[in-house]
């Protein structure tokens, strides 16, 4: 089924599932849960996020020992639900289920699940502009993929798995000097650092606007962003921070 989904062979995948699954089919036994999981994975691949979420939510809720072991009791369902939530832009909920899937897969040594969970978590980090964290997750995924590939004795199967799995990892750009500067200076952009330095000199918003050919409202917006990113509350604190960082224009 996973191969058919990766190949986007929807017709054969649907036919295979319909031979074993009806809307009234329960999801109690292991086999039944496996078929429903495959149905949800197909829905997710086809962009039917609502159906994928509904099935995955039911699988997670009905998982044995869910009350005792939490959402990670069935890691495959937790991963699927997290992926469906991510696709639906429900980021906070997605993080909860993806983290649970990663933790459980690590503990149980479920490498065939773990690499997918790392990729999904990396994608979530990308949506929140956490590039370093995303690259870390993708690096973890590559390491697990390599371990699985090394365990495969069939050369053709190994090469096909390696290529297919790596194709799931989004491309990321190497950190630039600008990225490094943002990281070093509390995430401030070049313009925000420029304004912070002028605040440290005691310049008013109007003076900064005139000097940088900006509107006072734009400067005010930048100042608000600076305070938020640095978790500060006053201009005096910005000035002190600039001094500590030994920033120069």
């Amino acid at each position: 089924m996973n191969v058919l989904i990766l190949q986007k062979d929807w017709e054969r995948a649907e036919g295979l599932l319909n031979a074993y699954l009806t809307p009234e089919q329960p999801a109690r036994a292991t086999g039944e849960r496996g078929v429903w999981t495959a149905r949800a994975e197909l829905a997710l691949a086809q962009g039917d996020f609502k159906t994928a979420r509904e099935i995955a939510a039911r699988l997670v809720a009905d998982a044995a020992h869910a009350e005792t072991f939490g959402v990670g009791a069935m890691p495959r369902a937790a991963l699927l639900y997290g992926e469906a939530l991510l696709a639906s832009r429900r980021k906070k909920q997605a993080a909860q289920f993806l983290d649970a899937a990663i933790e459980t897969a690590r503990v149980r040594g479920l490498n065939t699940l773990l690499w997918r969970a790392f990729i999904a978590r990396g994608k979530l980090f990308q949506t929140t502009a956490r590039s370093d964290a995303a690259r870390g997750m993708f690096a973890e995924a590559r390491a697990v993929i390599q371990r699985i590939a090394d365990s495969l004795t069939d050369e053709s199967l190994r090469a096909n798995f390696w290529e297919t799995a790596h194709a799931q990892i989004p491309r990321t750009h190497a950190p630039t000097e600008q990225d490094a500067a943002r990281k070093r200076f509390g995430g401030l952009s070049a313009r925000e650092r420029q304004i912070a330095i002028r605040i440290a000199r005691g310049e008013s918003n109007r003076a900064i606007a005139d000097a940088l050919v900006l509107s006072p409202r734009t400067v005010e917006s930048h100042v608000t962003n600076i305070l938020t990113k640095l978790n500060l509350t006053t201009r005096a604190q910005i000035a002190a921070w600039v001094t500590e960082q030994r920033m120069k224009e």
Side-chain angles (χ1 to χ4, degrees):
M1 177 57 66
N2 287 337
V3 173
L4 294 177
I5 291 175
L6 287 174
Q7 294 176 342
K8 296 185 179 181
D9 191 342
W10 310 139
E11 185 175 351
R12 288 180 61 194
E14 290 278 5
L16 187 60
L17 283 172
N18 290 338
Y20 295 96
L21 191 66
T22 64
E24 298 78 21
Q25 183 80 28
R28 292 186 293 269
T30 301
E32 293 168 344
R33 294 176 65 81
V35 177
W36 273 111
T37 299
R39 167 62 73 188
E41 288 175 339
L42 177 59
L44 182 63
Q46 293 176 313
D48 186 356
F49 306 140
K50 182 175 182 293
T51 296
R53 283 200 318 272
E54 290 174 349
I55 296 174
R58 187 176 66 176
L59 290 169
V60 169
D62 293 344
H65 312 301
E67 292 185 2
T68 303
F69 297 103
V71 296
M74 187 178 178
R76 187 181 177 190
L79 170 59
L80 180 58
Y81 195 24
E83 290 176 319
L85 289 167
L86 173 59
S88 305
R89 302 180 184 274
R90 300 183 182 184
K91 300 177 184 178
K92 188 174 181 178
Q93 287 178 285
Q96 176 190 4
F97 285 93
L98 293 178
D99 288 344
I102 288 173
E103 181 180 359
T104 306
R106 277 187 190 275
V107 172
R108 299 184 187 176
L110 305 175
N111 286 333
T112 55
L113 184 73
L114 188 56
W115 69 269
R116 285 180 49 199
F118 278 137
I119 291 175
R121 194 62 174 92
K123 290 178 179 179
L124 179 55
F125 277 130
Q126 283 185 320
T127 67
T128 56
R130 297 181 61 184
S131 300
D132 287 346
R135 281 191 288 269
M137 287 290 103
F138 297 148
E140 293 266 25
R142 291 188 185 94
V144 177
I145 290 169
Q146 189 61 58
R147 289 202 297 272
I148 296 174
D150 290 342
S151 71
L152 300 175
T153 56
D154 185 286
E155 184 175 346
S156 176
L157 181 62
R158 180 171 59 251
N160 183 63
F161 166 74
W162 194 94
E163 182 178 353
T164 302
H166 274 79
Q168 308 305 308
I169 303 176
R171 292 185 178 183
T172 57
H173 69 276
T176 63
E177 291 185 10
Q178 185 178 20
D179 293 331
R182 280 178 178 268
K183 184 175 181 180
R184 178 184 173 189
F185 296 116
L188 300 189
S189 66
R191 175 66 82 187
E192 288 165 348
R193 296 196 298 274
Q194 191 178 30
I195 291 174
I197 290 171
R198 289 183 174 274
I199 289 174
R201 293 175 184 168
E203 295 183 16
S204 66
N205 284 1
R206 170 60 71 179
I208 295 172
D210 291 342
L212 301 181
V213 194
L214 300 171
S215 72
R217 178 169 293 184
T218 298
V219 173
E220 183 179 348
S221 178
H222 280 306
V223 173
T224 298
N225 289 338
I226 293 169
L227 291 169
T228 299
K229 289 181 179 181
L230 300 181
N231 196 28
L232 303 176
T233 56
T234 67
R235 296 171 75 91
Q237 290 175 328
I238 294 177
W241 180 83
V242 169
T243 301
E244 290 174 0
Q245 298 296 318
R246 298 181 180 179
M247 292 173 61
K248 295 181 180 180
E249 192 170 14

